[in-house]
Amino acid sequence: KRDERSKRFQRAFDKVCGELHTQGVGTVVSHTEPVTLEEEDKLWQEGVLGISTPKQLMRAVFFYNGKNFCLRGGAEHRNLKLNQFTRAGKRSENGKEHDVCYVYTEH
């Protein structure tokens, strides 16, 4: 009896969510404007980003992780795992690695 009530509730809930979605509720995605190169340069010039202090370095890593990996908030930064990054590169004939980069895989 309880399972049947639960199923009826879920069907009704799905129907209401579908109707709201059709009306546009919950479909608006907000976008933020990207930081321009001039704004990024200003962050470095003003000392917000840098390598001279731990705080500057932390901000720079946070900024570039967000910029390069399309991370939007603190939770996405905190949830990064080492296994999401793989090292890629090419080896020349003498065995030296070049064109090294790290590939990010979103989980």
Side-chain angles (χ1 to χ4, degrees), residues 16-28:
V16 170
C17 287
E19 290 171 359
L20 289 172
H21 186 71
T22 302
Q23 296 170 15
V25 175
T27 59
V28 176

Side-chain angles (χ1 to χ4, degrees), residues 66-80:
K67 180 178 177 178
N68 293 315
F69 304 130
C70 300
L71 304 178
R72 293 166 295 281
E76 290 184 355
H77 286 265
R78 285 189 299 277
N79 292 332
L80 283 177

Side-chain angles (χ1 to χ4, degrees), residues 47-71:
V48 176
L49 303 179
I51 57 172
S52 300
T53 69
K55 189 175 258 188
Q56 287 176 328
L57 183 58
M58 179 187 65
R59 288 180 187 142
V61 168
F62 186 87
F63 177 80
Y64 283 108
N65 278 351
K67 180 178 177 178
N68 293 315
F69 304 130
C70 300
L71 304 178

Side-chain angles (χ1 to χ4, degrees), residues 7-17:
K7 288 177 186 176
R8 283 193 320 227
F9 171 79
Q10 190 63 50
R11 284 193 300 268
F13 181 74
D14 289 343
K15 183 178 179 188
V16 170
C17 287

